[in-house]
Amino acid sequence: MTDNRLLMIVEDDDAFAKTLKRSFERRGYTVLIADSQEMVVQLLADHDPGYAVVDLKLGGQSGLVCVQALHAHDPDMLIVVLTGFASIATAVEAIKLGATNYLAKPSNSDDIEAAFARSGGDTAIPLAPRPTSIKTLEWEHIHEALKDSEFNISEAARRLGMHRRTLARKLAKRQIG
């Protein structure tokens, strides 16, 4: 891994990206901003970041393709995925594709920097016998359908057998960040 403090932020929300950029620059990072997978590839041609923060949902794209590209560029890069659509399915896929951590929004630069520091696993974490509720199962099923339909709400609603507006209302109620 490069020992530099070059950070790439992959975020399509311009205001949030600029806020994160300023915060990390105050912490001594040099920051690059990309808003799509294409821009990530362009920036990687000229730069070698040691850190990356990737939004899971980039407009009509999945941020997971960016995680995959960043990890392919440098397997030692510390990559944190941020999402307002947290689910077990997307967390597992993000880690499989090379992310070192996965955070639900709202998260700030303190949370992200702490996630960079916790890039290894913790075998001492307590295992809590907590049964999954019906609401949690429904939420995970919805997010699995969203992921499979590349975050297309109309297609996910069709796969779930519900009206698109019903799905949109459910997402609006549970969206974090």
Side-chain angles (χ1 to χ4, degrees):
M1 179 179 77
T2 57
D3 191 35
N4 61 22
R5 294 193 42 102
L6 181 59
L7 167 70
M8 183 181 296
I9 296 173
V10 185
E11 172 65 63
D12 61 342
D13 179 341
D14 193 46
F16 184 62
K18 287 179 180 176
T19 300
L20 273 181
K21 180 179 190 238
R22 282 190 304 271
S23 181
F24 276 103
E25 286 175 339
R26 283 192 299 268
R27 294 165 184 260
Y29 290 84
T30 302
V31 180
L32 305 169
I33 295 179
D35 63 2
S36 66
Q37 193 240 351
E38 294 78 19
M39 190 176 283
V40 167
V41 172
Q42 288 174 2
L43 288 172
L44 288 177
D46 298 324
H47 302 281
D48 191 22
Y51 304 89
V53 177
V54 180
D55 187 15
L56 183 63
K57 187 176 179 192
L58 298 169
Q61 295 181 321
S62 168
L64 294 176
V65 295
C66 297
V67 171
Q68 188 175 35
L70 289 163
H71 183 70
H73 177 77
D74 180 1
D76 293 327
M77 186 184 308
L78 298 177
I79 305 168
V80 173
V81 172
L82 286 181
T83 183
F85 299 93
S87 74
I88 292 172
T90 54
V92 169
E93 292 304 316
I95 300 303
K96 282 182 182 178
L97 292 170
T100 52
N101 226 314
Y102 182 95
L103 298 174
K105 289 180 180 178
S107 293
N108 59 30
S109 53
D110 291 332
D111 300 329
I112 295 166
E113 199 165 44
F116 286 143
R118 291 187 322 267
S119 61
D122 182 5
T123 59
I125 194 161
L127 301 176
R130 186 175 150 220
T132 304
S133 71
I134 295 295
K135 286 186 178 193
T136 301
L137 287 173
E138 176 190 39
W139 190 240
E140 289 175 4
H141 187 61
I142 287 170
H143 283 285
E144 181 70 25
L146 280 168
K147 181 182 74 76
D148 290 345
S149 64
E150 297 180 355
F151 297 94
N152 180 316
I153 293 176
S154 296
E155 176 60 19
R158 187 188 65 72
R159 291 179 184 193
L160 292 166
M162 68 173 61
H163 195 279
R164 187 193 65 75
R165 281 184 275 176
T166 303
L167 178 57
R169 277 194 292 271
K170 285 180 178 284
L171 292 172
K173 286 181 184 178
R174 292 285 307 258
Q175 183 175 348
I176 304 169

